[in-house]
Amino acid sequence: GEDVEQSLFLSVREGDSSVINCTYTDSSSTYLYWYKQEPGAGLQLLTYIFSNMDMKQDQRLTVLLNKKDKHLSLRIADTQTGDSAIYFCAEKDSNYQLIWGAGTKLIIKP
Amino acid sequence: DTAVSQTPKYLVTQMGNDKSIKCEQNLGHDTMYWYKQDSKKFLKIMFSYNNKELIINETVPNRFSPKSPDKAHLNLHINSLELGDSAVYFCASSQVLEGRNEQFFGPGTRLTVL
């Protein structure tokens, strides 16, 4: 079945860029998503990318999609303490359901 | 103006009890979900309802029974609670628009079974 994989932790220094990576298996995915979960809260949609795009930029966030390698990344420029959270990658399957990664916990070092 | 709300936020109970968690969305969405997030933060879908009809029922013990009285509500009833049911339960809703399925999550209900 479809699968989405992410590494579980990423540690970066405040002010540096964070790059969170994700791989997926369903080549027919049309939309891929990044959700953010802050401590004690629910998930919030951060951004998404349509499969006919290679890149999407939104302020400090850059999403890169490599369809050939089925690789998605989220870059956060100038990482701040408020970016500490768990970031979930998800792909939409053919039944419009979301297949979720395990989440990457972003740890910010001062 | 909460979009997806859940009650209660915290639930502490003894093994063997029966409990319910309520969820309401005011977004006018057709589809609602229940997810379980364990202590390692893995997110697992349990149920999905579309217009009050069950469309996804993952491998979940039949002690868990969802009920959707109308499109805006999806409640979760759990019988004979077990220690392993301790987790955070999230309700979500979505509407497919232009092929996108953006899910909106509630704040979660932290269930602790003693």
Side-chain angles (χ1 to χ4, degrees), chain A residues 8 31 33 35 37 40-43 45 48 86 88 92 96-98 100 102, chain B residues 9 33 35 37 41-43 56 90 96 98-103 105-107:
Chain A
L8 295 182
Y31 283 95
Y33 304 84
Y35 279 77
Q37 184 182 26
L43 282 73
L45 179 66
Y48 65 87
I86 300 175
F88 289 89
K92 179 178 74 70
Y96 293 94
Q97 301 309 317
L98 296 189
W100 296 88
Chain B
K9 190 162 171 63
Y33 310 81
Y35 285 91
Q37 187 176 45
K41 305 299 183 185
F42 296 143
L43 199 63
I56 289 178
F90 287 101
V96 176
E98 299 175 348
R100 293 200 310 275
N101 179 8
E102 295 171 20
Q103 295 188 11
F105 282 75

Side-chain angles (χ1 to χ4, degrees), chain A residues 20-65:
Chain A
I20 303 170
N21 294 302
C22 169
T23 57
Y24 60 97
T25 55
D26 186 356
S27 56
S28 66
S29 286
T30 52
Y31 283 95
L32 295 123
Y33 304 84
W34 284 105
Y35 279 77
K36 178 182 181 182
Q37 184 182 26
E38 294 182 356
L43 282 73
Q44 284 187 301
L45 179 66
L46 202 56
T47 187
Y48 65 87
I49 189 166
F50 186 50
S51 58
N52 69 353
M53 299 167 67
D54 297 326
M55 184 178 92
K56 181 179 180 181
Q57 189 144 7
D58 182 3
Q59 299 182 326
R60 291 191 299 121
L61 304 179
T62 304
V63 179
L64 294 177
L65 175 60

